[in-house]
Amino acid sequence: ERERGGMAKESSSVPCTPLLKDELDIVIPTIRNLDFLEMWRPFFQPYHLIIVQDGDPSKTIKVPEGFDYELYNRNDINRILGPKAACISFKDSACRCFGYMVSKKKYIYTIDDDCFVAKDPTGKEINALEQHIKNLLSPATPHFFNTLYDPYREGADFVRGYPFSLREGARTAVSHGLWLNIPDYDAPTQLVKPRERNTRYVDAVLTIPKGTLFPMCGMNLAFDRELIGPAMYFGLMGDGQPIGRYDDMWAGWCTKVICDHLGLGIKTGLPYIWHSKASNPFVNLKKEYKGIFWQEELIPFFQSAVLSKECTTVQKCYIELSKQVREKLGKIDPYFTKLADAMVTWIEAWDDLNPPTVAAEVPNGPAKGK
Ligand SMILES: O=c1ccn([C@@H]2O[C@H](COP(=O)(O)OP(=O)(O)O[C@H]3O[C@@H](CO)[C@H](O)[C@H]3O)[C@@H](O)[C@H]2O)c(=O)[nH]1
Ligand SMILES: [Mn+2]
């Protein structure tokens, strides 16, 4: 009998020790109301929220009582960034990356407002934030695959044949969570399988091996902002752009290339959230249309991207990548030249708001297993 997860009912209160209470911000992009927070209250209330209100800034977004938050609408983004605001998408969930930029914390968790608390096969409510924090605070294994999954997890370990020289692992930069109920399918798949629901709960956390790209979904995602924040630019989408629903994919591909270069790890798997709302597949098809054939050229670009050894900080890696985007992808469509410019603007804006106190050199030491 396949293990099945489900959606939790609104819970009264679940005591949880708020790990990283003052070192983590929760970033929520929204065009809707934030009632979903009621269900997350036991897990999220101790944390500071950064709400990025998309769309019409004159609309008032009601935040449930008792949450500590800051809210930014488009007027705020324009006021804070001035002309550099052009790199932040409008009328697309990609706007969430503004929250990463204004945060002052070491960790970020971002979640969509149609994602709810899921239940594991035992019926226990899943504290997704707690699991992401565990993922981020334990090492990753990008340089040698452990067949018994996460070796740092209680009750597991490295298996026979795993080199001891590699068991220290790599620092974890990203924790990519998954979704029960509505899976993050692209529009063609959604159209072919409109009623497919994900009921499969896989009790595993895996490190994505070095040299392998992956499709990063922004719905249930956490990362170490000090390690990889400047790479988490959710590419130009939405209003005035020829493409949508590739913002998180773009960030994931850039981030993975940079993590591989800097010897950092990315994990995927637990925790699950319950994704409740399927966005309109026809609207999604229009947004994704160009991306579906462009990505056949983008993937080989990222697979063959090489960063020089002078790229010792995320910012330097990202600027180097933007140059390669301009040179190699600009010929696909003028959009990529615009995106390359936006990548540079993003880094400039990031450094304006986050002046490097000490050179944020990520030791680019030879990642073991190279
Ligand atoms: O114009 C918009 C539309 C939506 N939002 C907010 O963004 C998230 C996601 O919105 P929604 O749940 O409607 O869309 P999904 O298709 O399920 O989103 C997933 O697909 C990808 C889209 O790029 C992305 O990885 C996932 O987010 C909600 O919080 C909306 O309120 C917005 O800010 N602006
Ligand atoms: Mn959704």
Side-chain angles (χ1 to χ4, degrees):
E1 167 60 15
R2 196 162 68 176
E3 289 193 328
R4 292 172 180 276
M7 179 172 174
K9 301 280 169 290
E10 282 211 18
S11 59
S12 50
S13 73
V14 174
C16 65
T17 44
L19 286 166
L20 301 180
K21 176 172 166 311
D22 301 317
E23 297 171 82
L24 180 141
D25 280 338
I26 299 173
V27 175
I28 305 164
T30 190
I31 45 165
R32 304 188 268 240
N33 67 56
L34 294 171
D35 298 348
F36 87 117
L37 285 173
E38 279 313 333
M39 193 174 202
W40 288 104
R41 188 182 290 276
F43 303 140
F44 286 5
Q45 187 147 14
Y47 295 88
H48 180 67
L49 311 181
I50 296 180
I51 297 158
V52 183
Q53 175 185 340
D54 194 19
D56 178 359
S58 65
K59 248 188 75 181
T60 303
I61 297 277
K62 226 177 73 49
V63 182
E65 287 299 311
F67 285 96
D68 170 58
Y69 71 94
E70 53 200 283
L71 184 145
Y72 297 93
N73 64 25
R74 194 67 207 186
N75 295 337
D76 300 316
I77 294 171
N78 294 338
R79 173 174 46 77
I80 294 165
L81 296 185
K84 295 196 178 87
C87 78
I88 303 296
S89 299
F90 184 53
K91 294 191 180 167
D92 189 283
S93 62
C95 66
R96 74 175 87 213
C97 63
F98 178 75
Y100 311 157
M101 190 191 284
V102 289
S103 169
K104 297 288 168 247
K105 302 288 176 56
K106 177 166 171 53
Y107 300 98
I108 294 287
Y109 175 50
T110 189
I111 183 171
D112 288 3
D113 62 17
D114 64 343
C115 294
F116 293 84
V117 176
K119 283 159 75 168
D120 71 20
T122 70
K124 185 170 176 271
E125 290 180 5
I126 299 166
N127 182 346
L129 183 54
E130 189 181 54
Q131 180 62 48
H132 276 301
I133 291 171
K134 281 181 188 161
N135 292 348
L136 290 172
L137 294 184
S138 62
T141 56
H143 302 116
F144 199 90
F145 187 78
N146 191 54
T147 49
L148 197 56
Y149 313 114
D150 181 356
Y152 305 100
R153 179 175 174 170
E154 193 63 33
D157 214 314
F158 291 99
V159 295
R160 181 167 53 84
Y162 201 100
F164 282 86
S165 59
L166 293 177
R167 295 195 184 195
E168 186 186 354
R171 280 175 298 175
T172 302
V174 180
S175 171
H176 178 265
L178 297 173
W179 343 270
L180 290 172
N181 195 38
I182 310 283
D184 187 21
Y185 285 166
D186 50 47
T189 308
Q190 217 184 336
L191 283 164
V192 168
K193 308 169 103 175
R195 279 184 295 284
E196 185 149 297
R197 296 294 178 266
N198 182 30
T199 61
R200 189 201 325 265
Y201 180 95
V202 177
D203 182 7
V205 176
L206 292 173
T207 294
I208 301 169
K210 180 177 177 185
T212 301
L213 296 171
F214 77 111
M216 186 175 81
C217 170
M219 226 189 291
N220 171 23
L221 181 74
F223 59 92
D224 183 323
R225 186 175 165 279
E226 286 178 4
L227 271 187
I228 200 67
M232 279 288 182
Y233 173 51
F234 278 37
L236 265 190
M237 306 280 144
D239 202 34
Q241 307 303 337
I243 186 175
R245 292 170 56 83
Y246 275 86
D247 49 313
D248 41 6
M249 299 298 145
W250 184 262
W253 296 331
C254 293
T255 293
K256 187 62 169 62
V257 165
I258 293 171
C259 280
D260 286 353
H261 175 74
L262 295 177
L264 302 172
I266 297 184
K267 294 176 180 176
T268 186
L270 300 181
Y272 284 90
I273 50 81
W274 180 271
H275 184 209
S276 70
K277 201 184 90 32
S279 39
N280 181 306
F282 295 100
V283 170
N284 289 347
L285 186 56
K286 258 193 279 183
K287 291 180 179 179
E288 292 170 16
Y289 168 64
K290 290 192 170 181
I292 291 175
F293 53 85
W294 281 348
Q295 71 184 7
E296 298 306 331
E297 299 196 57
L298 300 183
I299 299 308
F301 164 77
F302 283 104
Q303 282 171 331
S304 57
V306 177
L307 299 172
S308 67
K309 65 180 187 331
E310 287 69 37
C311 295
T312 51
T313 67
V314 177
Q315 282 91 331
K316 287 178 190 167
C317 292
Y318 205 76
I319 294 296
E320 169 81 15
L321 212 42
S322 73
K323 288 177 186 153
Q324 295 180 31
V325 168
R326 181 187 318 281
E327 184 197 320
K328 297 180 180 171
L329 300 180
K331 48 180 152 265
I332 298 177
D333 187 280
Y335 170 71
F336 291 101
T337 305
K338 194 162 74 164
L339 183 55
D341 292 341
M343 290 169 76
V344 175
T345 306
W346 160 263
I347 293 296
E348 288 169 350
W350 182 283
D351 286 346
D352 289 348
L353 270 64
N354 303 277
T357 41
V358 289
E361 305 278 330
V362 179
N364 189 24
K368 294 196 177 78
K370 260 195 173 167

